[in-house]
Amino acid sequence: MKLFISLVSHGHDQLIADNQWLPLLAVDAEVELVLCDNIGSTWLAELATHHGYHYLASTSPIGFGANNNAVFNYCRAQLGMQSEDYFCLLNPDLIINVGTLLEVVAEVGGAQARFATINLYQDHAFTQPDLNIKRFPSLLDFAKGFLLGANPAAYDKSLITEPCSVGWASGAFLLFRADFYQQLGGFDEKFFMYLEDVDICRRAREQFGEELLYLPQFKAIHLCQQANKQLFSRHFVWFLTSMLRYFLKHGLKRP
């Protein structure tokens, strides 16, 4: 059993260069790290060569889901990924210890889970929780978020001390058994950016009866930037477009 990591860069050259754990992952015999460059940065290609990352470059900018699907197909066709292997989405702004990541894979395999996530924080001291696990959203949840800054769909992670099933988790860290990602057909590429992670978790539950396993004992740092909260930015427009697509596809209420 091997771990294949999908690291997608949308202009995140400096974040990737500054992440000192990535080169350690790339040299581990149990890991294959694939860097997918959405822009085609010469400097990032040279960095990948220097550290021994597999490198892919999009011919034109595509969305988050499409890039991860491209990495998955590359892992199957070129790197020999098998059904029992694991496929991990790792954001450029996510910092995780190599040993911790491999322990997560072992724990998920032992639990015979087909996809999982872990406990993310926004600081190195692990004092500021990242709201990376949530219940499936309703339209009212988003309205409260925009108007009040509230997040009623988020779980209170301080109350969760044992592994359990949750609704969905941020694509900053998601771990799939390779055969399950294939069964899902990967991400719905109609979501250019945002809510593709909600969609894939919902399809897993509703189409295959598979619930997302949350492992609170494993921690990592997510230096999230929340670009979608900047009103009238292109990220905000992408977010609104994805929100409309999500509710047209799944309905307005929580499942």
Side-chain angles (χ1 to χ4, degrees):
M1 181 178 70
K2 293 191 70 172
L3 173 64
F4 294 80
I5 296 175
S6 177
L7 181 71
V8 176
S9 174
H10 296 269
H12 297 120
D13 298 35
Q14 199 59 52
L15 276 173
I16 292 170
D18 291 343
N19 193 331
Q20 299 178 1
W21 289 106
L22 294 176
L24 298 177
L25 284 169
V27 298
D28 193 287
E30 300 178 58
V31 177
E32 299 284 356
L33 191 153
V34 182
L35 171 56
C36 185
D37 185 358
N38 196 48
I39 295 176
S41 161
T42 302
W43 184 78
L44 204 56
E46 293 173 353
L47 181 75
T49 300
H50 177 72
H51 289 305
Y53 308 155
H54 301 280
Y55 179 78
L56 298 178
S58 303
T59 54
S60 60
I62 56 178
F64 176 83
N67 274 304
N68 280 290
N69 288 348
V71 172
F72 181 81
N73 292 333
Y74 175 83
C75 290
R76 292 183 68 234
Q78 303 297 326
L79 302 182
M81 183 168 64
Q82 302 297 309
S83 296
E84 67 275 12
D85 292 328
Y86 281 89
F87 181 65
C88 181
L89 276 60
L90 203 67
N91 259 25
D93 58 357
L94 194 134
I95 302 170
I96 187 167
N97 178 285
V98 180
T100 299
L101 182 53
L102 294 178
E103 286 179 25
V104 171
V105 175
E107 182 76 15
V108 173
Q112 297 186 328
R114 296 211 286 168
F115 75 140
T117 193
I118 59 174
N119 195 356
L120 303 186
Y121 288 80
Q122 294 182 6
D123 66 315
H124 290 267
F126 298 113
T127 59
Q128 186 177 351
D130 182 79
L131 302 180
N132 66 302
I133 57 168
K134 299 182 179 72
R135 301 167 184 86
F136 291 109
S138 66
L139 185 59
L140 182 60
D141 292 332
F142 283 115
K144 289 180 178 178
F146 287 133
L147 298 175
L148 306 175
N151 202 325
Y155 292 93
D156 183 348
K157 295 201 293 184
S158 67
L159 302 177
I160 305 176
T161 59
E162 299 291 334
C164 66
S165 297
V166 295
W168 68 276
S170 162
F173 184 98
L174 280 172
L175 180 69
F176 295 84
R177 229 181 91 117
D179 56 357
F180 187 51
Y181 192 90
Q182 177 73 20
Q183 189 175 17
L184 285 162
F187 285 100
D188 182 345
E189 297 183 10
K190 293 178 182 177
F191 291 89
F192 180 76
M193 192 170 292
Y194 303 114
L195 274 73
E196 62 280 287
D197 42 14
V198 190
D199 172 73
I200 199 169
C201 292
R202 186 155 178 178
R203 286 190 286 116
R205 175 175 289 195
E206 295 185 347
Q207 295 178 18
F208 302 101
E210 195 74 27
E211 297 190 355
L212 177 64
L213 175 64
Y214 169 58
L215 300 170
Q217 69 271 36
F218 296 109
K219 300 177 181 179
I221 302 161
H222 181 210
L223 305 173
C224 55
Q225 300 177 10
Q226 299 294 329
N228 59 306
K229 293 186 181 299
Q230 299 172 9
L231 290 177
F232 308 116
S233 68
R234 61 179 180 174
H235 283 270
F236 185 71
V237 173
W238 289 337
F239 183 81
L240 288 180
T241 302
S242 290
M243 184 178 69
L244 177 61
R245 185 177 300 281
Y246 174 82
F247 286 118
L248 286 174
K249 182 175 182 178
H250 294 290
L252 299 179
K253 297 180 180 180
R254 289 179 181 171

